[in-house]
């Protein structure tokens, strides 16, 4: 398969109203840059007519490729599927909801030509999102930045351009609990950013529910930091020391001061506190064990139902 200059990876889940507009804007943006590009739509189990729209577009433009996954595997897996099959000197990851302007690709590509392997789009403003979502996202990424041992870009999502060697490195990372923005940061290479304002959603609603965002947040923390485990072990050590000193004091008070410590309330409070700490510790450890369990199964990340790619030409990385 001939190598392209740019590949555009677009995960799709129930975005039929946005696809034609997105395609038109992409074509207008990419044509002045190069005629040697490909647009790869990954339909992640959409329940609307997104796949029909993608098929229609692929018939009028030979630069459009698609992968129809057998079910909804999740945003990060859909993007990973695209990364395995894209074939270009550089690749852009962009969502299909039109919140990230395709026109910014020109600036991303300019930075790439200056020698950067990763050019991520950094948000200055986020239109159409609740105060709670903005606040929790801001706090989370600053927390993650302090937990990991490498530099995490703040206020940046998955919208970015990466070079071929970054794509090849990502394809060698087999974990099932994908968190691509952290994986790319972990890889290193030369990185920079371009500032932009994120638009509000024009059609439909976001597939990222709060539960999915929490799951992604846990994947980011447990996948790239062992500090929660260190915290749990140190907390257990501190509580053990405190409990030991309390026992020593109780024995001393009983025999030396002839005062016996009594009180049902204090016993229940202490038991509830220790029980809560134990459940918290087991939960944190369980998150790490769950990741091990999922990866040990060695199941494929996704299943392709239909594609216009020649699967036999899948690139080796």
């Amino acid at each position: 398969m001939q190598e392209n200059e740019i590949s555009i990876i677009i995960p799709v889940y129930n975005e039929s109203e946005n696809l034609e507009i997105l395609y038109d804007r992409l074509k207008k943006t990419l044509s002045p840059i190069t005629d040697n590009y490909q647009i790869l739509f990954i339909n992640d189990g959409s329940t609307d007519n997104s796949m029909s729209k993608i098929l229609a577009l692929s018939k009028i433009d030979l630069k459009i490729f698609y992968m129809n996954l057998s079910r909804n595997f999740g945003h990060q897996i859909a993007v990973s599927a695209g990364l395995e099959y894209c074939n270009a000197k550089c690749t852009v990851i962009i969502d299909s909801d039109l919140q990230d302007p395709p026109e910014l690709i020109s600036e991303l590509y300019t930075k790439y030509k200056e020698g950067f392997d990763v050019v991520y789009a950094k948000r200055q403003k986020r239109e159409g999102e609740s105060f709670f979502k903005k606040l929790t996202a801001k706090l989370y990424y600053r927390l993650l930045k302090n937990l990991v041992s490498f530099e995490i870009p703040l206020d940046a999502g998955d919208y970015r351009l990466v070079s071929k060697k970054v794509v090849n490195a990502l394809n060698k990372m087999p974990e099932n609990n994908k968190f691509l923005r952290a994986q790319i940061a972990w890889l290193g290479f030369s990185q920079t950013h371009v500032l932009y304002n994120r638009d509000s959603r024009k059609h439909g609603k976001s597939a990222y529910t709060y539960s999915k965002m929490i799951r992604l947040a846990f994947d980011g923390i447990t996948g790239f930091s062992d500090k929660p485990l260190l915290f749990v072990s140190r907390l257990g050590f501190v509580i053990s020391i405190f409990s030991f000193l309390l026992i020593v004091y109780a024995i001393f008070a009983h025999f030396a001061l002839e005062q016996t410590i009594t009180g049902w309330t204090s016993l229940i409070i202490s038991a509830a506190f220790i029980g809560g700490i134990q459940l918290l510790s087991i939960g944190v450890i369980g998150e790490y064990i769950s990741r091990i369990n999922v990866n040990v199964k060695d199941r494929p990340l996704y299943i392709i139902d239909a594609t216009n790619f020649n699967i036999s030409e899948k690139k080796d990385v």
Side-chain angles (χ1 to χ4, degrees):
M1 185 185 295
Q2 182 182 2
E3 184 177 61
N4 296 278
E5 180 66 22
I6 305 178
S7 282
I8 311 295
I9 293 177
I10 309 171
V12 178
Y13 181 71
N14 294 346
E15 298 287 0
S16 61
E17 295 180 283
N18 297 322
L19 295 178
E20 292 175 349
I21 301 172
L22 175 61
Y23 166 69
D24 289 337
R25 290 174 65 179
L26 279 172
K27 189 174 180 179
K28 290 177 183 178
T29 300
L30 293 170
S31 295
I33 299 174
T34 178
D35 191 50
N36 185 23
Y37 64 85
Q38 65 176 183
I39 299 174
L40 173 54
F41 289 98
I42 301 95
N43 183 44
D44 189 27
S46 296
T47 55
D48 63 358
N49 64 336
S50 292
M51 192 60 215
S52 299
K53 291 284 185 73
I54 294 171
L55 287 171
L57 290 172
S58 69
K59 290 177 181 178
I60 64 173
D61 191 341
L62 296 178
K63 296 182 185 298
I64 291 182
F65 294 86
Y66 64 83
M67 294 170 61
N68 185 34
L69 303 186
S70 61
R71 65 170 177 84
N72 178 252
F73 286 89
H75 178 273
Q76 299 292 289
I77 300 297
V79 174
S80 298
L83 290 171
E84 283 200 70
Y85 284 89
C86 69
N87 182 37
K89 295 177 182 177
C90 64
T91 299
V92 174
I93 302 168
I94 184 172
D95 288 338
S96 51
D97 55 14
L98 295 177
Q99 289 188 268
D100 298 323
E103 293 75 16
L104 194 69
I105 292 174
S106 298
E107 293 184 51
L108 300 177
Y109 183 75
T110 298
K111 290 292 185 181
Y112 160 72
K113 295 301 286 184
E114 292 175 5
F116 293 99
D117 290 299
V118 179
V119 187
Y120 56 89
K122 185 173 182 178
R123 298 176 290 238
Q124 294 185 106
K125 294 182 180 179
R126 303 176 65 167
E127 301 293 341
E129 295 183 356
S130 67
F131 172 78
F132 179 75
K133 185 174 181 179
K134 293 177 183 178
L135 177 64
T136 52
K138 187 173 184 177
L139 293 176
Y140 168 70
Y141 283 108
R142 280 150 182 81
L143 171 65
L144 183 61
K145 184 181 178 70
N146 289 318
L147 289 177
V148 300
S149 59
F150 52 92
E151 190 67 22
I152 288 278
L154 299 176
D155 304 317
D158 290 313
Y159 188 21
R160 63 190 62 207
L161 179 149
V162 293
S163 68
K164 184 176 182 178
K165 62 183 178 182
V166 174
V167 172
N168 289 343
L170 284 172
N171 288 334
K172 293 178 181 178
M173 302 174 77
E175 59 257 41
N176 282 262
N177 303 86
K178 295 289 187 180
F179 190 52
L180 291 168
R181 62 197 73 169
Q183 287 180 258
I184 294 171
W186 179 88
L187 287 173
F189 296 114
S190 54
Q191 304 195 13
T192 189
H193 68 271
V194 170
L195 295 174
Y196 81 110
N197 295 327
R198 196 166 199 246
D199 297 328
S200 59
R201 173 179 281 273
K202 300 296 187 297
H203 304 284
K205 61 180 181 179
S206 175
Y208 259 119
T209 61
Y210 282 112
S211 62
K212 288 184 179 180
M213 288 190 291
I214 291 171
R215 179 69 263 171
L216 187 65
F218 273 111
D219 285 341
I221 293 173
T222 57
F224 294 92
S225 175
D226 60 358
K227 287 186 178 179
L229 287 175
L230 293 174
F231 171 76
V232 165
S233 62
R234 289 170 182 171
L235 184 63
F237 177 76
V238 170
I239 292 176
S240 297
I241 294 296
F242 176 77
S243 301
F244 175 75
L245 293 176
L246 189 61
I247 292 171
V248 171
Y249 172 74
I251 295 173
F252 175 79
H254 179 74
F255 290 102
L257 304 178
E258 297 183 352
Q259 295 176 354
T260 302
I261 300 175
T262 60
W264 181 87
T265 302
S266 60
L267 289 175
I268 293 300
I269 291 174
S270 299
F273 175 72
I274 298 298
I277 294 297
Q278 288 175 330
L279 289 174
L280 172 64
S281 303
I282 292 171
V284 171
I285 296 170
E287 283 292 328
Y288 285 89
I289 294 175
S290 174
R291 293 181 64 91
I292 296 171
N293 179 54
V294 169
N295 285 283
V296 165
K297 291 175 183 176
D298 200 26
R299 293 174 181 169
L301 281 177
Y302 56 89
I303 303 295
I304 300 174
D305 179 49
T307 180
N308 60 348
F309 265 108
N310 185 347
I311 300 297
S312 63
E313 292 185 0
K314 178 181 175 180
K315 58 180 181 178
D316 297 321
V317 294

